[in-house]
Amino acid sequence: MLLVPIVVSVFSLIFAYFLIREVNRAAAGSGRMIEISEAIKEGAMAFLKRQYKTIALIAFLLFFILLIIFGIKTALGFLLGAAASGLAGFFGMIVSTRANVRVAESAKNGLKSALSLAFKGGSVTGFLVAGLGLLSVSVFYLLTQDLKALVALGFGGSLISVFARLGGGIYTKAADVGADLVGKVEQGIPEDDPRNPAVIADQVGDNVGDCAGMAADLFETYVVTIVAAMVLGGLLFPSLSEAVFFPLILGSIAILASIIATFFVRLGKNQNIISALYKGLIVAGILSAAGFFPVILQFSQSLKMPVLNLYGPALIGLLIAGAMFLITEFFTSKKYSPVQSIALASQSGHGTNIIAGLAVGMKSTILPVIVISAGILISFALAGIYGLAVSAVAMLSLTGLIIALDAYGPITDNASGISEMSGLPEENRKVTDALDAIGNTTKAVTKAYAIASAGLAALVLFSAYTQELADLGKKVQFILQDPKVLIGLFSGGIVAYYFASLSMTAVGKAAGSVVEEVRRQFREIKGLMSGEAKPDYSRCVDIVTKAALKEMMIPALLPVVFPILIGLLLGPEALGGLLIGSIIVGMFLALQMTSGGAAWDNAKKYIEEGNFGGKGSFAHQSAVTGDTVGDPYKDTAGPAINPMIKVLNIVALLIVGFLI
């Protein structure tokens, strides 16, 4: 049975390979376009190589610790998860940095051609992640038949994801904030203006943050969810191997459905970009739902459960994914009232913009949590804890297509920047700007999807933690009358807030250094503002690279150290409280940050379209301030909370045997 996911995952990787060939065959423009693209690619590769060298040292240290404590299988599982996560982000980013200039060139042929190429570039990352994720889990379990070691594989992916999200997020937002504060506010020049010394660092950041970072994030969420469901199935149904294999088969079906769905992403007569992208997502969901039924019909007989009790949670997972897209688009799109209310508040000043943005971010958490709560309730009523696991796996099964939508964002953002910086005609920039505007929305909705799926995955991991305790003979009741549980709950909230605080502080420090450097260059390089002299782009790239690598270390190790301390000092009750506290507080905080930050960004863009005075107006200046606050919210701290939550839960699952 394990051969099915192995074959499907290899097919996913082959499909990604053919997409890479299509992207590479497209025309790459000439002259200034290639020069800018090469600078972006070199900067992105330089950062990623330095980041991976730093992460590799920590990974090998943890490998030897796991080897000594748990043995060779667990240590190798950790190493495989880390390597696969890193590879997914690395190759996805390479394709992204090649696709950007080709999309800018393709825009000369119109919107349809540029959209098709941008989506293919994003799909490479999506199907690399899904293929590598399913392949690593299937092959490792086939070789070891060890669920405990499989947890370590998820740990490897999660740890790399925390570093990738933090490092990439600090890099991209430090450059973005620094570029905007001096370029837009102080010098009054447009976004992506080639005179701005931080503009290349900003373009590089889009790739290392939104492409490599998101790929690592959803890779580990995908892997951890499947692993958690397999572990839970093994604990709940110890004599039935079908309960372990079931999540892998669901993932296989959804990959095939997602590959078919990519051919439905076509621009219609109305030229609506977001509709074209969502068409693919809807087709993937429908095909997955249809494909799940015969498989669930067969497995339900083996598990001796009514077919609807398993099929219902699977449908719930798909519906939660769709609902997260619709809700997040409402709170972050320029078409709707939340974003427009922030733009309206910008007319009164910087302070009212910040107040409105914070309010929208807080409000944006309500509907997602209601949807997730309803999904938990129904799934649990139908099939207990295992129903919740099936729901989470079904939701994550669309990961390939979801990442394609997300990676589309940095490609189109770079394409828009290359068009602006290389002085392409206005008609060309209209096409790339239209693609970029939708890219902001797709990045926001995919982040919300990642957060919701992370929450469900963490709950499944927590269930596995409690079940593991019971199997070891320790029946723990997590009741509020127990002071250890209460301390654990508060500790979980502390971890989430402290982690977010460290992330925000890191961006602020790095952005401050970029601001000083950009000001220095405008002040000291004669002829820079007139366009007669070129800025020193490499200096800003170097500043944000060093800052990102330095500042990511402490927050990334926080979720590894905290559960060990709490578990060893206060026991399994306090550790359980820590896990639940981090899930609840972390989900609210992550949703507020990602949706609120995206709303600030699009409020700025709404004004730049000519509303409330347009570019250069007082409202626009206020909106730029809001956007600089929202940048680390939505692209650094908020998304990085996802893997942090899961690292906490995985570490707890690994050390549970030492707490009895």
Side-chain angles (χ1 to χ4, degrees):
M1 200 177 293
L2 274 171
L3 291 177
V4 174
I6 291 173
V7 171
V8 171
S9 57
V10 170
F11 183 67
S12 177
L13 297 176
I14 292 170
F15 182 66
Y17 169 74
F18 280 104
L19 289 174
I20 291 171
R21 289 183 62 183
E22 284 199 48
V23 171
N24 286 338
R25 276 203 300 260
S30 59
R32 180 69 173 151
M33 292 174 67
I34 294 178
E35 182 185 333
I36 295 165
S37 175
E38 285 299 314
I40 294 169
K41 185 163 64 177
E42 286 173 17
M45 289 298 297
F47 171 74
L48 216 59
K49 284 178 181 176
R50 287 171 68 174
Q51 184 188 45
Y52 279 8
K53 282 179 182 177
T54 306
I55 296 171
L57 293 173
I58 297 167
F60 279 114
L61 176 63
L62 287 171
F63 168 80
F64 287 112
I65 292 173
L66 292 172
L67 179 65
I68 294 166
I69 298 174
F70 297 106
I72 187 64
K73 286 183 184 178
T74 301
L76 286 175
F78 168 79
L79 210 57
L80 176 62
S85 178
L87 280 174
F90 186 78
F91 285 114
M93 197 205 66
I94 288 175
V95 175
S96 176
T97 55
R98 289 187 177 185
N100 53 18
V101 69
R102 289 168 169 79
V103 171
E105 176 68 15
S106 181
K108 295 176 181 177
N109 301 321
L111 188 60
K112 184 177 180 180
S113 173
L115 171 63
S116 175
L117 190 60
F119 180 70
K120 285 174 183 175
S123 296
V124 170
T125 307
F127 291 104
L128 276 175
V129 167
L132 282 171
L134 193 63
L135 184 65
S136 58
V137 174
S138 305
V139 169
F140 188 74
Y141 186 67
L142 178 66
L143 294 175
T144 64
Q145 300 289 307
D146 190 332
L147 288 172
K148 192 75 174 179
L150 205 56
V151 173
L153 189 148
F155 178 44
S158 294
L159 193 66
I160 296 301
S161 175
V162 175
F163 279 109
R165 262 303 187 195
L166 276 172
I170 294 166
Y171 186 113
T172 182
K173 290 305 109 181
D176 195 359
V177 170
D180 282 354
L181 284 176
V182 182
K184 285 186 175 181
V185 178
E186 295 181 9
Q187 298 295 334
I189 58 178
E191 189 169 359
D192 299 322
D193 192 298
R195 294 171 292 180
N196 193 325
V199 73
I200 293 293
D202 186 12
Q203 298 290 337
V204 170
D206 291 329
N207 293 287
V208 299
D210 281 325
C211 190
M214 186 63 167
D217 185 351
L218 275 175
F219 172 89
E220 66 88 17
T221 302
Y222 182 72
V223 167
V224 165
T225 304
I226 290 177
V227 168
M230 291 173 70
V231 170
L232 196 58
L235 291 170
L236 293 172
F237 307 98
S239 59
L240 293 172
S241 60
E242 288 88 345
V244 177
F245 297 141
F246 183 50
L248 295 171
I249 305 301
L250 290 185
S252 303
I253 291 167
I255 285 180
L256 294 175
S258 297
I259 289 173
I260 295 169
T262 60
F263 297 100
F264 288 83
V265 177
R266 295 177 182 274
L267 205 61
K269 292 180 181 179
N270 60 0
Q271 299 286 289
N272 191 313
I273 300 169
I274 196 76
S275 295
L277 295 172
Y278 281 0
K279 200 186 302 176
L281 185 66
I282 292 166
V283 170
I286 292 171
L287 291 176
S288 295
F292 287 165
F293 186 76
V295 171
I296 289 174
L297 184 63
Q298 181 183 348
F299 274 87
S300 62
Q301 294 170 2
S302 301
L303 299 175
K304 296 178 182 178
M305 295 176 68
V307 62
L308 290 179
N309 285 37
L310 274 182
Y311 190 55
L315 290 181
I316 290 294
L318 294 173
L319 290 172
I320 291 174
M324 291 303 298
F325 268 69
L326 294 174
I327 293 166
T328 309
E329 185 184 354
F330 173 74
F331 280 100
T332 60
S333 174
K334 293 176 290 185
K335 296 185 293 183
Y336 302 112
S337 58
V339 166
Q340 292 175 12
S341 70
I342 299 173
L344 178 65
S346 302
Q347 294 184 106
S348 307
H350 302 261
T352 47
N353 170 283
I354 300 298
I355 292 168
L358 288 172
V360 167
M362 291 174 185
K363 200 184 296 182
S364 70
T365 64
I366 298 169
L367 286 176
V369 171
I370 291 173
V371 167
I372 292 167
S373 299
I376 291 170
L377 192 64
I378 297 169
S379 298
F380 198 87
L382 288 171
I385 295 172
Y386 196 63
L388 180 60
V390 171
S391 183
V393 169
M395 183 181 179
L396 260 298
S397 66
L398 300 176
T399 290
L401 202 65
I402 301 293
I403 295 178
L405 296 179
D406 183 82
Y408 158 92
I411 290 171
T412 55
D413 195 342
N414 273 194
S416 180
I418 290 168
S419 296
E420 175 77 29
M421 295 171 69
S422 57
L424 293 182
E426 185 67 27
E427 296 76 20
N428 204 89
R429 292 205 294 270
K430 280 182 180 178
V431 172
T432 54
D433 286 350
L435 294 171
D436 181 30
I438 299 303
N440 283 323
T441 301
T442 61
K443 286 188 287 186
V445 296
T446 51
K447 285 186 179 77
Y449 165 86
I451 293 164
S453 57
L456 285 179
L459 286 171
V460 176
L461 285 168
F462 175 75
S463 301
Y465 168 74
T466 57
Q467 193 66 37
E468 183 76 16
L469 283 172
D471 277 20
L472 292 170
K474 179 77 172 179
K475 291 188 177 180
V476 178
Q477 285 188 312
F478 299 101
I479 54 175
L480 294 179
Q481 288 92 330
D482 188 338
K484 290 182 179 179
V485 174
L486 281 173
I487 291 169
L489 287 168
F490 283 125
S491 299
I494 287 170
V495 175
Y497 266 94
Y498 188 45
F499 181 87
S501 170
L502 290 172
S503 305
M504 294 287 287
T505 303
V507 173
K509 284 182 182 177
S513 300
V514 174
V515 166
E516 291 303 317
E517 175 59 25
V518 175
R519 283 174 177 167
R520 183 195 67 78
Q521 291 197 34
F522 274 118
R523 187 172 61 247
E524 297 179 6
I525 299 177
K526 294 180 180 179
L528 183 56
M529 273 300 288
S530 62
E532 297 171 7
K534 285 187 177 182
D536 182 1
Y537 297 124
S538 62
R539 179 63 187 146
C540 288
V541 170
D542 189 54
I543 287 171
V544 288
T545 298
K546 288 177 178 175
L549 294 177
K550 177 186 174 185
E551 300 291 344
M552 73 179 184
M553 297 303 294
I554 294 176
L557 293 174
L558 199 65
V560 177
V561 175
F562 231 91
I564 295 173
L565 288 177
I566 293 293
L568 295 179
L569 292 175
L570 297 175
E573 297 86 358
L575 183 53
L578 170 79
L579 302 182
I580 288 296
S582 68
I583 293 169
I584 293 172
V585 175
M587 274 192 63
F588 274 100
L589 199 55
L591 285 169
Q592 180 200 340
M593 287 182 154
T594 51
S595 294
W600 261 314
D601 188 356
N602 280 333
K604 177 198 69 178
K605 286 181 167 56
Y606 182 73
I607 292 172
E608 288 175 345
E609 289 176 351
N611 300 293
F612 304 120
K615 290 183 180 180
S617 65
F618 178 66
H620 184 234
Q621 291 177 7
S622 302
V624 170
T625 301
D627 182 34
T628 57
V629 176
D631 275 340
Y633 250 50
K634 68 181 173 68
D635 288 327
T636 308
I641 291 173
N642 304 343
M644 183 216 73
I645 293 171
K646 292 191 290 297
V647 170
L648 285 168
N649 281 269
I650 290 172
V651 171
L653 201 53
L654 284 171
I655 67 170
V656 65
F658 297 96
L659 306 180
I660 306 303

